[in-house]
Amino acid sequence: EATIVSPTYFPAWKNAAEILVNNKAYAQAIPYLEKALETAPTKVYYAKGDALASYIFCLIKLSEIDRAKELIETQAIPENKK
């Protein structure tokens, strides 16, 4: 409901995703995590990283290892560390 009332509110998307992850509904959590990544505030440095870690976790649980690796390589590793 919170995602409908405020579709750009990061905590609503992240919290909805975490409820699904906690209930092992990994595939269902992915769209919520994608939206959380889109709405993550840039001034809260850990927000995007937290959502990204949950997203990668879900992909691994769903055996989507190549997709998880791609996200790690393109999103999680800073350019100066590659």
Side-chain angles (χ1 to χ4, degrees), residues 21-61:
V21 170
N22 290 338
N23 286 289
K24 300 181 181 175
Y26 306 117
Q28 293 87 342
I30 287 177
Y32 290 89
L33 289 165
E34 289 171 343
K35 193 65 176 176
L37 288 168
E38 283 178 31
T39 59
T42 55
K43 292 183 180 181
V44 182
Y45 70 92
Y46 61 84
K48 184 175 182 178
D50 189 35
L52 185 61
S54 293
Y55 192 1
I56 291 167
F57 174 78
C58 287
L59 292 173
I60 291 169
K61 294 301 267 182

Side-chain angles (χ1 to χ4, degrees), residues 75-82:
Q75 302 289 318
I77 301 172
E79 284 297 316
N80 63 347
K81 301 290 182 184
K82 291 182 182 177

